[in-house]
Amino acid sequence: MSVSARDERRLQRIELFKQATHPSSEWQYNSRDVILYALSIGCQRTEREFVYENDCDFATLPSFAVIAVHKAKLHYQDLLPNFDPRMLLHGEQYVEVFCPLPTNGRFVVKPSLIDIQDKGKAALVITRASIVDPDTNKVYAINEVTAFVRRSGGFGRTKPVARIAAATAVNKPPQRSPDAVIEERTSPDLAALYRLNADYNPLHIDPAFSSKGGFEVPILHGLCSFGISTKHVMQQYGQGKPNSIKSIKAQFAMYVFPGETLRTEMWQEDPNKIIFQTRVLERDVLAIAKAAAELTTPSTSKL
């Protein structure tokens, strides 16, 4: 079989995989899990609405929906040439919340493949994890994850599929100083805590493992930085209310070491959209870029 014929066969398999229905996974959690997540993205004991189950305003944070990603089992590896899990990078994350997640929940997580794109020497794999009530079939939230898989390209250019506009927006910050800034120093032990949200990658806890990736110290989870940044936007433009966030999109631009300070720089693009980026102060590098949050109601925050 010629190379071009192999590539054509691969593209056909990708299309069939995109159209297929894949097995769902059950996701159950309780107030303890909700509290653990809040603490693992830096919530303080005084923020009782997120860390105390008996508080009259006890609620889940909007970014809690990302935990469902770990339940989405989608075995697309055989669709890619030369797949090596060590070459996979979490490039972007998009979350859209249609209905606030309860503090005790039982859902099914339905995985699907949105697209696989050939980028020459690498492939982009875009997957979705839908959080669905098993009794009513109501969709509470979706996650879209863009993975960059190095050394797995070259199988034939593919035209990108149509996607949710907010999931693909470039979100370039305006040419002015940020309208608002929030800084937060992370705990040196934050990665050890965040991993209990079902992300047990040893890269975030084991120095022997992280050193193989070029990191002398285990790095912080990208989704932890994502949660911290979302929390900052909620505090600044959503009056601290978790139901103020409709969607969040972010690109992971650089690693963060636990103990470093994150500075979320925010611009109010319009009453319902906040563009932001998150900077590591100690190294003056962007950890999160091309990011934005859509609000459920227009913000009344003063510029």
Side-chain angles (χ1 to χ4, degrees):
M1 182 182 291
S2 68
V3 173
S4 60
R6 271 202 310 270
D7 291 342
E8 182 62 32
R9 180 72 175 271
R10 189 184 304 278
L11 293 173
Q12 291 174 356
R13 290 170 55 211
I14 290 172
E15 287 305 311
L16 289 173
F17 199 91
K18 287 162 61 175
Q19 297 168 19
T21 299
H22 302 279
S24 301
S25 300
E26 187 178 64
W27 181 37
Q28 288 193 17
Y29 62 86
N30 56 32
S31 58
R32 181 184 183 278
D33 301 305
V34 170
I35 293 168
L36 173 62
Y37 178 76
L39 293 171
S40 71
I41 62 166
C43 285
Q44 304 297 308
R45 62 181 177 83
T46 52
E47 297 175 90
R48 289 184 294 275
E49 66 273 31
F50 303 122
V51 301
Y52 180 40
E53 69 280 5
N54 291 326
D55 188 89
C56 61
D57 294 319
F58 183 53
T60 60
L61 287 154
S63 56
F64 179 71
V66 303
I67 305 303
V69 168
H70 305 299
K71 293 290 184 178
K73 307 299 181 183
L74 199 62
H75 302 289
Y76 59 77
Q77 294 88 336
D78 291 343
L79 299 174
L80 299 176
N82 309 312
F83 179 80
D84 183 340
R86 295 172 298 181
M87 297 293 105
L88 188 151
L89 299 173
H90 189 170
E92 293 184 348
Q93 181 78 27
Y94 175 75
V95 176
E96 185 167 353
V97 181
F98 304 108
C99 183
L101 293 174
T103 53
N104 290 274
R106 181 178 68 88
F107 295 96
V108 291
V109 180
K110 296 184 176 182
S112 58
L113 177 67
I114 296 177
D115 204 11
I116 293 181
Q117 300 170 13
D118 179 14
K119 294 297 181 181
K121 294 183 179 181
L124 277 186
V125 181
I126 306 164
T127 58
R128 176 179 290 174
S130 300
I131 303 171
V132 181
D133 186 312
D135 299 319
T136 65
N137 212 35
K138 178 180 179 180
V139 180
Y140 273 64
I142 60 170
N143 286 273
E144 290 190 6
V145 177
T146 300
F148 186 77
V149 189
R150 294 169 291 171
R151 301 181 187 174
S152 286
F155 53 84
R157 296 288 178 181
T158 55
K159 183 179 179 180
V161 300
R163 295 177 59 198
I164 300 167
T168 59
V170 176
N171 299 323
K172 184 178 179 180
Q175 294 295 313
R176 66 174 188 268
S177 298
D179 299 326
V181 168
I182 293 181
E183 294 182 6
E184 180 172 340
R185 184 174 182 180
T186 63
S187 164
D189 301 316
L190 197 58
L193 181 61
Y194 189 89
R195 67 188 299 269
L196 300 180
N197 293 303
D199 190 343
Y200 297 112
N201 188 335
L203 177 67
H204 306 293
I205 190 69
D206 185 351
F209 188 92
S210 65
S211 65
K212 294 177 182 178
F215 305 110
E216 293 185 7
V217 177
I219 61 175
L220 191 61
H221 305 70
L223 285 177
C224 181
S225 301
F226 180 91
I228 292 171
S229 302
T230 302
K231 180 184 64 174
H232 290 169
V233 175
M234 179 190 73
Q235 291 169 339
Q236 180 66 36
Y237 290 101
Q239 299 179 319
K241 298 183 181 302
N243 62 357
S244 63
I245 303 293
K246 176 187 175 185
S247 71
I248 318 103
K249 183 254 184 176
Q251 181 182 95
F252 299 109
M254 182 60 70
Y255 54 85
V256 176
F257 291 116
E260 290 186 316
T261 305
L262 296 179
R263 181 180 195 259
T264 304
E265 303 165 349
M266 297 166 271
W267 293 263
Q268 188 164 358
E269 181 75 352
D270 61 46
N272 289 89
K273 182 176 180 179
I274 310 302
I275 289 177
F276 68 92
Q277 60 188 21
T278 304
R279 187 178 304 276
V280 180
L281 284 190
E282 288 80 358
R283 289 180 284 127
D284 194 25
V285 295
L286 290 180
I288 289 178
K290 300 179 180 180
E294 290 184 307
L295 307 178
T296 54
T297 57
S299 173
T300 57
S301 178
K302 300 293 185 183
L303 298 182

